[in-house]
Amino acid sequence: MRVAVAGAGAFGRNHLRVLRELETAGLGVALAAAVEPDPARAAEAAAQYRVPVYSSIDELLAAGLELHAASVAVPTVEHHAVASALLDAGLDLLVEKPLAANLAEADDLIEKAEKHARIVQPGHLERFNPAVLAVEPRLRRPMFFEAHRLSVFTPRSLDVDVILDLMIHDLDIVLAFARSLVREVRAVGLPVVSPKVDIANVRVEFDSGCVANFTASRVSTERVRKLRFFEPRQYVSIDYARRDLLVIRMDGNISPEMAAAPAAGKADAAALGKLVAVGPAPGLSFVKPEVTPGEPLRLEIESFLNSVRTRRVPRVTARQGRAALELALEIQSTMAAHAQRAGLADFFKPSG
Ligand SMILES: NC(=O)c1ccc[n+]([C@@H]2O[C@H](COP(=O)([O-])OP(=O)(O)OC[C@H]3O[C@@H](n4cnc5c(N)ncnc54)[C@H](O)[C@@H]3O)[C@@H](O)[C@H]2O)c1
């Protein structure tokens, strides 16, 4: 299977690397071409991967190469233009998250994919995080989620705000786990360094009564990637960065030792560590489920290529990508309404 990569920027380079690794491992895939308009990045990709690098999608398509699929890793605002042209050319696509910049563009991609019977898998790579894969069989009835995704500032992905840049990962995961329609959104977000929202806190309530709190920041002093969720008699803590998880389960009635200890839900890492060190209190079990190691991006690309080969529905569908985008856009308009109410609208104007 011959695959191209559109966009050889910060993340496109990872697609190039993984595709070449799969090719070298003899897994039936060949990195056939790249598209990158920036001359320096194009030259770097051509030298490192020894592939033809074209300066535009038109140039790639005019070259008449045999191609079956492509990764689209261009800035989000360009997803629709690039993905549409590649779909029209008959390629199956792995489109980086978010699927598109707005719902009209997402709908158009879904329609084109259906018309041409092509696969469009949005790049929600946390679905392939080994910790997420390990938690799925343990899911019971999650009723409360707490997601933290904090990054140190880097001047990239500034074409979108922190919701479309970072929070969209957790929105997709929580939508997949909660399996219920959104009833209500409350949100606050502020621009700090860029003219777009750089830090946000969001509360989503679902029809099922499940509630999810999301915090995302790209102006933090530390990098955090955590999702904690609570179910009746079970607490699960996922660390996406460490790719591991901890499950605390009440199997019986609460013991006197447990009653004296901090509540698991409020416990910080040190307190949890103490609880673990104390050993399983009667009625309470701490499980660190086995996680099959793997790089999420590699697992995602392998899964996409498998769908291309078998024509099976991908693990993350374009409609799920649209659902995450729809929630992200609702969050954006809720944040804008809050900014108006709070007299913060001026902060959203570019400074200088
Ligand atoms: N899955 C993840 O965890 C993850 C992480 C980072 C970025 N991303 C996504 O990847 C995409 C790219 O992000 P990035 O950080 O690499 O951005 P980037 O700006 O570093 O790279 C984008 C590259 O695309 C090129 N480009 C622009 N228009 C193009 C076009 N029409 N055709 C071909 N190339 C074009 C640019 O020259 C640039 O080199 C974004 O959608 C972003 O949301 C996903």
Side-chain angles (χ1 to χ4, degrees), residues 6-12 35-38 41 56-57 72-76 78-79 82 96-98 123 125 156-157 164-165 169:
F11 212 66
V35 180
E36 173 52 60
D38 179 280
R41 287 177 171 187
S56 70
I57 299 294
V72 176
V74 300
T76 302
E78 298 283 328
H79 282 190
V82 169
E96 262 311 329
K97 51 54 54 182
L125 95 170
R156 47 153 290 272
S157 293
L164 290 182
D165 181 13
H169 286 293

Side-chain angles (χ1 to χ4, degrees), residues 14-27:
N14 289 322
H15 284 258
L16 287 164
R17 170 183 56 78
V18 169
L19 284 164
R20 177 49 53 78
E21 282 171 12
L22 296 176
E23 179 178 345
T24 308
L27 295 177

Side-chain angles (χ1 to χ4, degrees), residues 212-330:
N213 281 335
F214 301 88
T215 301
S217 166
R218 55 185 180 189
V219 287
S220 178
T221 51
E222 54 177 344
R223 188 173 186 274
V224 176
R225 297 281 186 272
K226 282 201 170 169
L227 176 68
R228 284 164 267 224
F229 60 90
F230 299 80
E231 307 181 306
R233 303 178 83 75
Q234 181 163 278
Y235 162 63
V236 179
S237 174
I238 293 179
D239 190 317
Y240 295 112
R242 285 204 315 250
R243 299 174 194 165
D244 67 9
L245 71 150
L246 174 67
V247 179
I248 302 177
R249 211 165 35 218
M250 280 298 302
D251 294 322
N253 291 325
I254 195 155
S255 64
E257 299 95 306
M258 203 32 220
K266 288 191 186 145
D268 58 19
L272 268 180
K274 252 188 238 159
L275 275 177
V276 176
V278 164
L284 192 72
S285 60
F286 290 79
V287 185
K288 263 195 156 292
E290 203 164 308
V291 171
T292 311
E295 181 191 354
L297 183 64
R298 180 168 171 151
L299 296 171
E300 177 187 67
I301 292 178
E302 281 178 334
S303 175
F304 165 67
L305 296 174
N306 193 40
S307 286
V308 172
R309 244 177 241 121
T310 60
R311 310 313 296 166
R312 286 213 195 104
V313 176
R315 173 167 159 77
V316 189
T317 65
R319 285 187 189 280
Q320 289 173 325
R322 185 200 189 277
L325 177 63
E326 186 178 24
L327 179 53
L329 297 177
E330 190 178 346

Side-chain angles (χ1 to χ4, degrees), residues 29-235:
V29 56
L31 172 61
V35 180
E36 173 52 60
D38 179 280
R41 287 177 171 187
E44 199 184 317
Q48 187 168 1
Y49 294 102
R50 281 163 281 104
V51 280
V53 181
Y54 300 91
S55 66
S56 70
I57 299 294
D58 286 349
E59 216 184 90
L60 168 80
L61 296 176
L65 301 179
E66 186 195 6
L67 289 173
H68 305 105
S71 285
V72 176
V74 300
T76 302
V77 292
E78 298 283 328
H79 282 190
H80 177 259
V82 169
S84 304
L86 295 174
L87 279 174
D88 285 339
L91 272 62
D92 293 304
L93 300 180
L94 175 56
V95 180
E96 262 311 329
K97 51 54 54 182
L99 177 59
N102 58 54
L103 290 181
E105 290 181 356
D107 286 336
D108 189 56
L109 291 182
I110 291 172
E111 202 181 305
K112 278 205 166 73
E114 283 171 0
K115 185 170 119 203
H116 297 303
R118 293 297 98 193
I119 288 163
V120 170
Q121 176 176 328
H124 287 295
L125 95 170
E126 295 292 26
R127 293 271 204 110
F128 299 88
N129 190 304
V132 171
L133 296 172
V135 90
E136 274 183 356
R138 294 171 174 272
L139 275 182
R140 295 176 182 177
R141 192 180 161 214
M143 289 307 291
F144 175 53
F145 291 91
E146 188 75 51
H148 284 97
R149 190 170 289 264
L150 315 179
S151 287
V152 177
F153 184 76
T154 57
R156 47 153 290 272
S157 293
L158 298 182
D159 57 321
V160 292
D161 65 9
V162 75
I163 309 295
L164 290 182
D165 181 13
L166 298 181
M167 193 183 284
I168 190 105
H169 286 293
D170 299 306
L171 299 178
D172 170 66
I173 293 284
V174 169
L175 283 171
F177 284 5
R179 292 193 212 104
S180 177
L181 294 175
V182 171
R183 174 195 291 257
E184 187 195 45
V185 173
R186 286 169 182 248
V188 56
L190 282 175
V192 179
V193 176
S194 83
K196 297 198 162 76
V197 167
D198 293 314
I199 181 160
N201 179 261
V202 175
R203 180 185 191 274
V204 175
E205 184 167 343
F206 293 88
D207 276 350
S208 62
C210 171
V211 168
N213 281 335
F214 301 88
T215 301
S217 166
R218 55 185 180 189
V219 287
S220 178
T221 51
E222 54 177 344
R223 188 173 186 274
V224 176
R225 297 281 186 272
K226 282 201 170 169
L227 176 68
R228 284 164 267 224
F229 60 90
F230 299 80
E231 307 181 306
R233 303 178 83 75
Q234 181 163 278
Y235 162 63

